[in-house]
Amino acid sequence: MKTNQSRRQFLGTAALGLASTQLHLPNGAVDAFGAGGASLKPGPVTPLGPIKQIDAGPLNVGYVDAGPAGGPVVILLHGWPYDIHSYADVVPLLTAKGYRVIVPYLRGYGTTRFLSANAVRNGQQSAFAADTIALMDALSIPKAIIGGFDWGARGADIMAILWPERCKAIVSVSGYLIVNLIANKQPLPPKAELGWWYQYYFATERGLAGYDQNRHDFNKLIWSIASPKWKFDDATFDRSAEAFNNPDHVDIVIHNYRWRLSLAPGEAHYDALEEKLSSGPSIGVPTITIGSDFDGANADGKAYAHRFTGKYEHRVLNGIGHNVPQEAPEAFAKAVIDVDRF
């Protein structure tokens, strides 16, 4: 049975958190810092900033712009339910090496807002990638290294497919995450479906209301399930939780997951982009992919390595959950620096 790789990424840790399943990574896997052991300490709770604002495409985007203005550009994309502070410890590591680092709030997060009150609060996959291209245009950035995890990794993958001339290289946590709507209609085995409880919850009106009313506690639960070995403190979570107070946040999240299950339509002006993505095209730009405990059996990257046809390397981080840049900032920053050298 053909299933979409992106649907499987949550399963390893969801099963771990919900059923105490023990994960076993492949031989040769390494931890975040080589032989020295992965750091699981909470990061600092100082804000990442200052936050700038710029009109880009349909949005007024809130973003951090750090490092030398003339340095090679790195754009870092967060996912759900996270925010720009996933990169709070990555940014200074990269700026110290001379990089200009841009970290935007995605649509529906933080200080990013739609320019039109009538705009569709659309969470389909190609919209996020197009948003990043619009931001690059607004900032007059012709080309950048793109790094991301979760929704951000999917955005990096899509940019590398649709706009390879704008991507110097990418770092993609969990590998190839293009959503295939046809494959997503196919059922998975019951234990696998268990990991997607929140997606099915979001498909209901009760789920929409529940997420709206309980987004703080809901997202804190997801953090714990997705990164069971990461002992983050309340201050670390609360710093990111402020981004979920965006007035469009709930609509974007709910639409994202309903769209994946073909329960909500996308927008017509993205149809051509989605058509290009539907065939699962390969990625030819230089890439480093990262697997972690979150990926379970797919941590070794073998399931998607063939999708990357340019210079390519895969790394595995033992003891690290889904929020790779915040749990293992040194390892993530090193991947960005190394892929630049490709």
Side-chain angles (χ1 to χ4, degrees), residues 149-224:
F149 73 106
D150 194 77
W151 293 10
R154 181 172 296 111
D157 290 343
I158 293 171
M159 290 175 66
I161 290 170
L162 299 179
W163 297 279
E165 72 283 358
R166 307 298 296 273
C167 301
K168 184 178 182 182
I170 68 170
V171 173
S172 178
V173 174
S174 298
Y176 190 91
L177 295 178
I178 306 303
V179 172
N180 183 309
L181 295 179
I182 301 300
N184 269 8
K185 292 181 179 181
Q186 304 304 313
L188 297 173
K191 287 185 178 180
E193 296 284 20
L194 176 64
W196 291 104
W197 64 273
Y198 68 94
Q199 184 163 322
Y200 306 135
Y201 181 63
F202 287 164
T204 69
E205 291 307 295
R206 174 173 172 162
L208 187 158
Y211 186 61
D212 189 19
Q213 294 174 23
N214 303 298
R215 69 186 83 171
H216 181 281
D217 292 346
F218 193 104
N219 290 342
K220 194 171 186 178
L221 173 64
I222 296 297
W223 275 37
S224 298

Side-chain angles (χ1 to χ4, degrees), residues 38-60:
S39 171
L40 301 176
K41 297 178 181 178
V45 293
T46 55
L48 178 63
I51 305 299
K52 300 182 178 180
Q53 299 289 143
I54 192 169
D55 289 350
L59 304 171
N60 178 261

Side-chain angles (χ1 to χ4, degrees), residues 12-239:
T13 301
L16 178 66
L18 296 174
S20 300
T21 300
Q22 179 64 44
L23 297 177
H24 299 282
L25 295 183
N27 292 334
V30 297
D31 62 34
F33 312 109
S39 171
L40 301 176
K41 297 178 181 178
V45 293
T46 55
L48 178 63
I51 305 299
K52 300 182 178 180
Q53 299 289 143
I54 192 169
D55 289 350
L59 304 171
N60 178 261
V61 178
Y63 66 102
V64 168
D65 189 345
V73 180
V74 177
I75 299 176
L76 302 176
L77 305 174
H78 68 82
W80 174 85
Y82 307 96
D83 83 323
I84 62 173
H85 290 96
S86 289
Y87 297 103
D89 296 331
V90 173
V91 170
L93 294 173
L94 294 177
T95 57
K97 295 293 185 179
Y99 289 95
R100 178 187 179 190
V101 185
I102 312 269
V103 192
Y105 281 113
L106 300 186
R107 55 171 59 194
Y109 294 80
T111 61
T112 292
R113 298 289 189 273
F114 284 88
L115 294 173
S116 171
N118 298 321
V120 177
R121 272 43 180 178
N122 180 357
Q124 73 182 102
Q125 62 179 355
S126 59
F128 294 100
D131 289 346
T132 308
I133 293 295
L135 177 62
M136 292 174 69
D137 290 344
L139 295 174
S140 300
I141 297 172
K143 201 166 192 174
I145 300 167
I146 312 297
F149 73 106
D150 194 77
W151 293 10
R154 181 172 296 111
D157 290 343
I158 293 171
M159 290 175 66
I161 290 170
L162 299 179
W163 297 279
E165 72 283 358
R166 307 298 296 273
C167 301
K168 184 178 182 182
I170 68 170
V171 173
S172 178
V173 174
S174 298
Y176 190 91
L177 295 178
I178 306 303
V179 172
N180 183 309
L181 295 179
I182 301 300
N184 269 8
K185 292 181 179 181
Q186 304 304 313
L188 297 173
K191 287 185 178 180
E193 296 284 20
L194 176 64
W196 291 104
W197 64 273
Y198 68 94
Q199 184 163 322
Y200 306 135
Y201 181 63
F202 287 164
T204 69
E205 291 307 295
R206 174 173 172 162
L208 187 158
Y211 186 61
D212 189 19
Q213 294 174 23
N214 303 298
R215 69 186 83 171
H216 181 281
D217 292 346
F218 193 104
N219 290 342
K220 194 171 186 178
L221 173 64
I222 296 297
W223 275 37
S224 298
I225 293 173
S227 300
K229 296 181 181 179
W230 182 37
K231 306 306 178 184
F232 62 88
D233 55 22
D234 288 344
T236 298
F237 176 77
D238 290 343
R239 178 183 59 178

